[in-house]
Amino acid sequence: MPTATSDDAFAEVKAKVDLVKIVQEHVRLTKRNRDLWGLCPFHQEDSPSFKVNPQMQSWYCFGCERSGDVFTFVELIEKTDKRGALQMLAERAGVELKKLSPEQKERSDSRKRMLAMLKLAAQYYEYVLWSTPTGETGRRLLASRQVAEETARAFQLGYAPAGRGFAEYLRAKKRSLADAQEAGLMRRDGTDFFAERLVIPIRDERGQPLAFTARTVRQDEQRKYINSPETPAYIKGRVIFGLDLARDEIARKGHAVLMEGQFDVITAHGAGIKNAVASSGTALTEDQVRLLKRFTDELLLVFDSDRAGRAAAQKAVVLAAAHQMRTRVATIEGAKDPDEFLRAAGAEAPKWWDELAAKAPSGFEFGMEDAAAGLNLSNANHVELAARRLREWIAQFPPVLQEEYRERAKRWMGVSGHLLAAEPDERRGSARPGPQKAANNGLSAPHMGKKMTVGRYLLQLLAVRPAAFERVRTKITPEELDEEDRGIYVRMLETYERGGASGLENELAGYPAEEQDLIRRAWAAPSTSSKTS
Ligand SMILES: [Zn+2]
């Protein structure tokens, strides 16, 4: 039995599929001599220059000069990678790719069950939203946010009723509740994890739901949004929200619009900006950039205009550059996010949007302006500070870009080169803002040593004694914590609510690395780990 990546697997699959049949699903072919000809699906043309050779099972385009075999064709047409093409074709050909070990088989089966369950849940929630009296609350929320039914249905929005609705539905269908619990949909007692919330499926680029984000419909609820836990089916930093709906428009427009929130994207699509996607609750990750790169080489980044948003934009610009993607940055003004901006524009939204996009500077220009924001460049200290910010930022770019960027920054600021020259420890993208001479002018950066905050102490305590959540959660809200502690607090709270006192040990592997680190250190620390009731 061939393994998934061996040459045997490719050969076996190739022997069983016919390139002509695969191509014909996308291109109308006509026979001329021994070859088949059609309009190339990979570039615009009016007369056929795309040739398929059935004997050789190969194809070639005289227009764009792309060529290959059945795997490269599927790779390009499905915008997948070599492995993805192999998998798709193997499925068609009925070739089993790999003799799985019992554990691998179990994991793969459990993932399949989970995906089926998530699909079922999305259908159930959608049904409740539109076809039951209970869904009224959700429908009202959508109306108040000006989300039309057509848009809501495209995103498959739904409503999770209070109580055990989904559990009862599953029982009626004779389906296992355990799968639903494992998928993070349900608590142990069968109550819905997303009860009384509008649910937004997070789907992969093919439209398969992997997880949910759920927004409360209650005014008095402190936690506006809650999210599915990470599961074998869902790794947060690998999904791009809205990509399944946006991929065609991204190809047409030649760029993707990357926003921060799911509602930003939903409102954008409703307003006709159908190439909008979101990184969905995380800072943009390497995996997400790689995924986007399969569909486009250019990103229009739209981040909130606050400090956190601008910092996130700067990081995204660097990350995209590392994958040879161009960026532009649009800054929303007069509104807190694209959702609010587009709703305020009403029927004018497409026009407002075009104007905003038209004046969006390149990612690097944005970074230069941002480095000088709030500073007075006729003051020597300020110039030095701006130069330092830029120097550190530029050092994070791929080396081939750094020289040009330094040159541009020098001209733009009108400063001499030494202020922007890379310091030895900043080369090769490892900028660390170490102690700086220039920092002594009241504008000094916060010192880097992590001090123990009250929030940190609380998190360590809760890591060691999760049962303390019983008291803590009624006394404080996540908003009261420092921003950097909030995410992990909410995650730990959700884990506790799902899995009780032992939940953290079971779910820790799904936490971001730095949070795992913090929790493991708390467990290891002798001072706090002494077991008292
Ligand atoms: Zn072509």
Side-chain angles (χ1 to χ4, degrees):
M1 193 78 62
T3 61
T5 46
S6 75
D7 292 346
D8 288 0
F10 284 99
E12 186 178 348
V13 170
K14 200 168 176 173
K16 287 197 176 157
V17 295
D18 181 8
L19 172 67
V20 176
K21 276 201 189 123
I22 306 279
V23 171
Q24 270 170 337
E25 286 170 14
H26 305 274
V27 181
R28 205 156 58 90
L29 295 172
T30 12
K31 197 158 172 130
R32 214 191 293 161
N33 299 327
R34 294 159 88 182
D35 297 323
L36 295 155
W37 294 78
L39 294 175
C40 176
F42 307 122
H43 83 275
Q44 283 291 335
E45 65 176 4
D46 301 321
S47 58
S49 47
F50 180 85
K51 183 185 84 164
V52 178
N53 181 329
Q55 283 76 37
M56 302 299 294
Q57 290 284 301
S58 66
W59 60 274
Y60 179 73
C61 172
F62 289 88
C64 62
E65 298 188 333
R66 288 187 176 89
S67 66
D69 61 6
V70 68
F71 295 110
T72 38
F73 182 81
V74 171
E75 252 184 86
L76 286 169
I77 203 101
E78 299 289 346
K79 300 203 168 55
T80 180
D81 54 11
K82 201 168 176 189
R83 204 193 167 84
L86 175 65
Q87 231 141 30
M88 291 174 74
L89 289 170
E91 253 164 56
R92 286 181 65 124
V95 174
E96 204 180 321
L97 280 183
K98 211 185 201 176
K99 192 93 179 147
L100 300 172
S101 72
E103 294 123 61
Q104 284 172 318
K105 177 116 175 52
E106 164 57 27
R107 215 176 313 141
S108 136
D109 287 350
S110 124
R111 186 168 181 276
K112 270 188 208 147
R113 285 201 310 271
M114 207 179 274
L115 291 176
M117 183 57 72
L118 289 159
K119 209 174 214 168
L120 195 62
Q123 286 162 0
Y124 167 78
Y125 294 140
E126 189 184 17
Y127 172 81
V128 172
L129 175 64
W130 297 109
S131 311
T132 71
T134 322
E136 172 65 24
T137 333
R139 297 198 294 274
R140 271 209 306 270
L141 177 71
L142 288 177
S144 76
R145 300 190 69 120
Q146 293 154 283
V147 178
E149 178 170 346
E150 190 194 352
T151 309
R153 288 209 183 259
F155 284 90
Q156 217 186 355
L157 305 188
Y159 184 74
R164 296 179 170 78
F166 188 49
E168 278 153 25
Y169 174 78
L170 290 179
R171 269 193 205 106
K173 295 202 100 180
K174 304 209 185 330
R175 298 288 290 261
S176 145
L177 297 193
D179 289 344
Q181 281 160 357
E182 209 183 326
L185 297 166
M186 197 179 286
R187 296 202 178 77
R188 280 177 184 178
D189 62 1
T191 52
D192 205 304
F193 186 63
F194 300 116
E196 291 186 90
R197 285 171 183 268
L198 185 83
V199 288
I200 306 170
I202 298 171
R203 302 183 295 198
D204 69 9
E205 70 274 19
R206 290 166 200 281
Q208 160 71 48
L210 303 179
F212 293 95
T213 288
R215 189 195 187 281
T216 185
V217 292
R218 287 169 42 174
Q219 295 291 338
D220 58 347
E221 173 61 71
Q222 292 283 358
R223 286 192 294 155
K224 224 173 195 179
Y225 288 93
I226 58 174
N227 301 297
S228 296
E230 296 207 330
T231 66
Y234 174 56
I235 296 164
K236 199 158 72 171
R238 290 199 188 152
V239 189
I240 291 283
F241 178 76
L243 189 53
D244 56 324
L245 297 176
R247 51 192 286 179
D248 290 346
E249 184 77 353
I250 290 172
R252 252 195 303 278
K253 286 265 169 70
H255 72 274
V257 175
L258 184 67
M259 300 177 162
E260 286 186 287
Q262 283 115 352
F263 257 106
D264 295 328
V265 172
I266 292 169
T267 303
H269 279 244
I273 306 156
K274 293 187 187 283
N275 55 340
V277 296
S279 59
S280 196
T282 58
L284 188 66
T285 67
E286 196 98 34
D287 284 334
Q288 287 170 331
V289 173
R290 231 176 268 128
L291 176 57
L292 284 166
K293 172 83 179 169
R294 268 171 38 198
F295 297 88
T296 183
D297 290 320
E298 185 175 333
L299 299 177
L300 176 58
L301 307 167
V302 190
F303 283 89
D304 302 350
S305 54
D306 60 5
R307 253 184 64 124
R310 301 175 72 85
Q314 288 202 357
K315 280 192 186 142
V317 168
V318 171
L319 200 52
H323 292 268
Q324 293 91 47
M325 291 180 91
R326 295 183 301 280
T327 46
R328 294 191 303 131
V329 181
T331 309
I332 300 280
E333 268 152 28
K336 83 173 179 349
D337 53 29
D339 176 32
E340 198 181 283
F341 173 81
L342 292 168
R343 280 194 282 142
E348 299 276 86
K351 196 171 139 244
W352 284 31
W353 176 258
D354 286 343
E355 282 165 16
L356 183 79
K359 64 178 190 206
S362 76
F364 186 67
E365 282 161 347
F366 162 83
M368 288 197 293
E369 279 160 25
D370 200 48
L375 299 177
N376 171 6
L377 291 190
S378 54
N379 171 319
N381 282 341
H382 286 205
V383 168
E384 204 167 334
L385 178 64
R388 170 156 64 87
R389 286 178 181 166
L390 265 179
R391 191 178 67 222
E392 286 168 6
W393 187 55
I394 291 171
Q396 298 169 26
F397 280 90
V400 290
L401 293 173
Q402 290 186 17
E403 205 41 54
E404 185 205 328
Y405 281 179
R406 261 183 226 113
E407 202 49 43
R408 281 172 66 184
K410 198 172 86 183
R411 263 179 287 141
W412 183 77
M413 289 181 66
V415 298
S416 74
H418 81 274
L419 280 174
L420 291 159
E423 295 190 344
D425 68 334
E426 287 174 359
R427 288 184 207 271
R428 298 216 317 266
S430 64
R432 258 183 308 273
Q436 295 289 335
K437 284 174 273 152
N440 227 344
N441 51 15
L443 292 161
S444 60
H447 56 90
M448 298 304 290
K450 273 255 185 294
K451 61 181 194 295
M452 177 68 111
T453 61
V454 176
R456 264 304 128 101
Y457 181 76
L458 178 69
L459 290 172
Q460 294 187 357
L461 176 79
L462 288 166
V464 178
R465 285 199 55 218
F469 267 119
E470 290 299 333
R471 294 231 310 265
V472 169
R473 68 178 160 184
T474 61
K475 298 235 160 58
I476 69 162
T477 65
E479 286 71 27
E480 290 173 83
L481 294 170
D482 284 352
E483 213 175 308
E484 59 177 311
D485 296 333
R486 208 172 293 154
I488 177 170
Y489 175 82
V490 169
R491 207 185 315 275
M492 286 169 68
L493 176 57
E494 286 170 8
T495 295
Y496 176 73
E497 289 182 343
R498 246 189 323 269
S502 59
L504 195 54
E505 268 167 65
N506 297 328
E507 292 187 10
L508 187 63
Y511 278 50
E514 68 218 53
E515 295 181 5
Q516 288 191 30
D517 205 45
L518 187 137
I519 291 164
R520 291 220 166 83
R521 266 187 282 126
W523 286 348
S527 55
T528 43
S529 66
S530 58
K531 292 262 183 211
T532 49
S533 76

